[in-house]
Amino acid sequence: YGVSINLITDSMTALKLPLPGEDLGLFTDLYELTMSQAFFRQGMSASATFSLFTRTYPPNRAYFVSAGLEDVLDYLSNLNFSGRAIDYLRATGIFSDDFLEFLRGVRFTGSVRAIPEGRLYFTDEPAVEITAPLIEAQLVETFIINQVNLQSMLATKAARCVWAAQGRGIADFASRRTQGTDAALKMARASYIAGFSSTSNVLAASIYGMPPAGTMAHSFISSFPSELEAFRAYAASFPARTILLVDTYDTIAGTWNAVQVAKEMEADGHHLTAIRLDSGDFDELSRNVRKILDDSDLDYVKILASGGLDEYELETLVNDGAPIDLFGVGTKAGVSADAPWSDMAYKLVCFDGRPVMKLSPDKVSLPGAKQVYRTKDSSGMFAKDIIALDDEELPGGLPVLEEVMKDGRRTGPSATLDEVRQRFQDDFAALDERFKVLNNPPRFPVSVSGQLECLTAEVREEVLGINVSDSD
């Protein structure tokens, strides 16, 4: 089903970012640059803090899985505007020469506090906080939302699949239908963080040190004169990891052909690993196939199901007792089909020592740099989270945000992917089962500290007094 191979090299590590290093500065929305020129002209270079958070849950969600931070830190560590980038911006005719010369020297020199990858977080909680000179902090908005939004969304979807599978192995089969090559790589990594066992994407496996997994396509079967010949050819090439796809023509007939090949493999001292179902009624077919295998003394042969699956189908199959051992999950998970977007925002919360906030209807942001404190009950389960100011200390609460970058440099080595995966498993085990249900889960309790409430009220009053007092 999958073998553990780690082929990480320096050249492959460079591919983790989705675009060439010399073009990182241009991966931004135009208005980030136009605002920055206005800031530059006004001499606004003081420190600013931006919070990245998600306002609301997508349907049927009650938690998020943090993912994407590693790419954010790689990006910030390498942020630059190359000569080619400056030439392009000059050719647009939009920007002044003095601002372009300023951009040529821009590097990220700020700090980052974030919820580590693999940890759970909830609505309104800052997943990442950036503090840097205003222009630096503004320019990086587009990339940060792009990466954390996608990867957290995919990791959350994958976590739901893992929970629904109740211990059965899951492989990522999504690469062919994700929205682009970078999304495919990030799906493989995010799903592994959340508990998938392997990926079909060989590049992702090599970059991230994940086990690759794969079987065969229907084209392999149909390229031979008969299904039996195709099975024999594959078993001869991969006797230690043969998984036979049995539904190209007729699933039951295909299973009997697989039984014949399994017996031939036994005679040669090998064992058939699994048979794969890729269409039809998985519940009924798996029961019929399991009986055929067991009656043929092939109880060790596993059943793998793939094709159109996500957490909802997995839950039904598992709860109904379908004898399926392994799942290949593709399109619906790879695009988070039932919740393909989230309301993630990156908002200024402090500038030049002054807390600020947004008051737009349904889009209010909390002022000030923050910390999230997580409390547990007597049994070690998560009880509630409290969003507080970053300089508060709340007894009994564990601070969730960690400083991961200071003065433009990482504060420590990156966690390994297996360490991130374990971090998720520890957090997920501490989340009550009622918040994991797939339909209409309750909201995890998140409150705001008294100090943050007071600051919010003060800033609101000040903002309204300055900006709308003369509106009548």
Side-chain angles (χ1 to χ4, degrees):
Y1 186 55
V3 294
S4 180
I5 297 177
N6 192 334
L7 297 176
I8 299 178
T9 66
D10 290 341
S11 62
M12 287 180 174
T13 299
L15 293 175
K16 289 182 182 178
L17 287 175
L19 64 163
E22 66 271 17
D23 290 329
L24 289 181
L26 292 182
F27 193 90
T28 192
D29 290 304
L30 179 62
Y31 78 169
E32 312 287 11
L33 288 163
T34 56
M35 285 188 292
S36 294
Q37 177 166 304
F39 292 150
F40 174 76
R41 287 296 183 87
Q42 295 296 315
M44 298 172 67
S45 58
S47 180
T49 297
F50 284 78
S51 286
L52 180 77
F53 61 96
T54 305
R55 295 188 180 99
T56 59
Y57 290 111
N60 294 319
R61 268 60 169 174
Y63 62 86
F64 301 109
V65 180
S66 175
L69 177 61
E70 187 65 23
D71 285 317
V72 168
L73 297 179
D74 279 350
Y75 161 78
L76 295 175
S77 298
N78 293 279
L79 179 65
N80 73 96
F81 287 84
S82 67
R84 182 176 67 180
I86 297 299
D87 289 344
Y88 168 76
L89 293 175
R90 179 175 286 111
T92 67
I94 298 172
F95 302 101
S96 64
D97 288 340
D98 56 348
F99 175 65
L100 292 176
E101 286 307 306
F102 166 79
L103 282 185
R104 195 185 297 275
V106 164
R107 301 292 185 272
F108 184 78
T109 63
S111 63
V112 180
R113 295 164 56 254
I115 295 176
E117 287 191 304
R119 298 221 66 180
L120 301 183
Y121 69 99
F122 306 95
T123 52
D124 296 323
E125 298 180 350
V128 179
E129 283 206 335
I130 303 289
T131 299
L134 178 58
I135 292 176
E136 294 175 26
Q138 186 71 68
L139 285 172
V140 300
E141 173 182 6
T142 304
F143 186 93
I144 292 174
I145 295 178
N146 175 272
Q147 290 298 307
V148 178
N149 176 68
L150 172 68
Q151 295 185 53
S152 294
M153 179 178 67
L154 295 178
T156 303
K157 179 72 170 179
R160 290 162 58 81
C161 292
V162 170
W163 184 80
Q166 297 297 305
R168 292 158 181 80
I170 306 179
D172 158 44
F173 282 5
S175 293
R176 288 176 295 176
R177 294 196 181 115
T178 55
Q179 282 95 342
T181 53
D182 185 53
L185 295 175
K186 299 307 160 54
M187 169 57 187
R189 183 178 184 273
S191 64
Y192 190 72
I193 288 172
F196 279 31
S197 57
S198 53
T199 180
S200 65
N201 189 304
V202 181
L203 180 59
S206 67
I207 291 174
Y208 301 121
M210 300 165 49
T215 60
M216 60 177 63
H218 295 100
S219 58
F220 182 82
I221 306 297
S222 57
S223 64
F224 286 82
S226 71
E227 184 177 61
L228 186 58
E229 290 176 77
F231 287 175
R232 284 173 171 157
Y234 198 87
S237 290
F238 305 102
R241 47 170 296 132
T242 297
I243 299 176
L244 300 176
L245 178 62
V246 297
D247 75 325
T248 303
Y249 305 116
D250 179 89
T251 299
I252 300 303
T255 301
W256 283 113
N257 282 332
V259 167
Q260 183 172 340
V261 171
K263 293 300 183 181
E264 294 169 0
M265 293 178 69
E266 285 183 342
D268 291 334
H270 301 293
H271 289 90
L272 177 64
T273 300
I275 63 98
R276 175 181 160 210
L277 307 175
D278 195 52
S279 61
D281 184 335
F282 288 141
D283 188 300
E284 180 181 0
L285 287 172
S286 65
R287 295 177 194 277
N288 293 335
V289 167
R290 184 76 268 163
K291 186 175 188 310
I292 292 171
L293 293 172
D294 291 348
D295 289 349
S296 302
D297 295 324
L298 296 172
D299 56 307
Y300 60 84
V301 177
K302 298 183 182 300
I303 297 176
L304 163 64
S306 63
L309 298 174
D310 68 1
E311 68 267 40
Y312 300 105
E313 289 81 12
L314 296 183
E315 181 181 54
T316 298
L317 289 168
V318 169
N319 288 347
D320 290 348
I324 299 172
D325 306 288
L326 307 164
F327 294 104
V329 175
T331 303
K332 291 182 181 179
V335 301
S336 189
D338 68 317
W341 63 276
S342 69
D343 192 15
M344 182 169 279
Y346 180 87
K347 297 301 176 186
L348 181 68
V349 296
C350 188
F351 176 62
D352 199 11
R354 175 175 57 89
V356 301
M357 66 184 299
K358 179 180 177 181
L359 294 178
S360 304
D362 301 322
K363 293 186 176 182
V364 174
S365 59
L366 295 170
K370 301 171 195 70
Q371 179 57 272
V372 176
Y373 287 91
R374 183 157 296 163
T375 64
K376 294 184 178 182
D377 61 21
S378 58
S379 61
M381 301 295 287
F382 293 161
K384 67 176 181 178
D385 279 10
I386 305 169
I387 305 174
L389 296 173
D390 68 332
D391 58 357
E392 287 189 71
E393 293 186 10
L394 301 184
L398 174 70
V400 179
L401 275 77
E402 299 178 5
E403 185 176 64
V404 292
M405 181 172 277
K406 184 176 182 180
D407 299 328
R409 297 179 180 274
R410 290 174 181 257
T411 56
S414 301
T416 68
L417 191 55
D418 283 334
E419 288 171 341
V420 174
R421 180 180 170 95
Q422 185 61 53
R423 189 183 290 149
F424 164 76
Q425 291 172 358
D426 293 343
D427 263 21
F428 205 60
L431 183 68
D432 192 278
E433 295 291 291
R434 69 184 187 275
F435 301 112
K436 302 174 186 177
V437 298
L438 301 184
N439 291 288
N440 299 315
R443 292 177 66 92
F444 183 82
V446 177
S447 62
V448 174
S449 73
Q451 289 189 37
L452 181 53
E453 280 188 343
C454 289
L455 179 65
T456 301
E458 292 171 5
V459 174
R460 178 191 294 272
E461 183 177 353
E462 178 182 352
V463 168
L464 290 174
I466 292 173
N467 291 286
V468 302
S469 59
D470 297 328
S471 60
D472 292 337

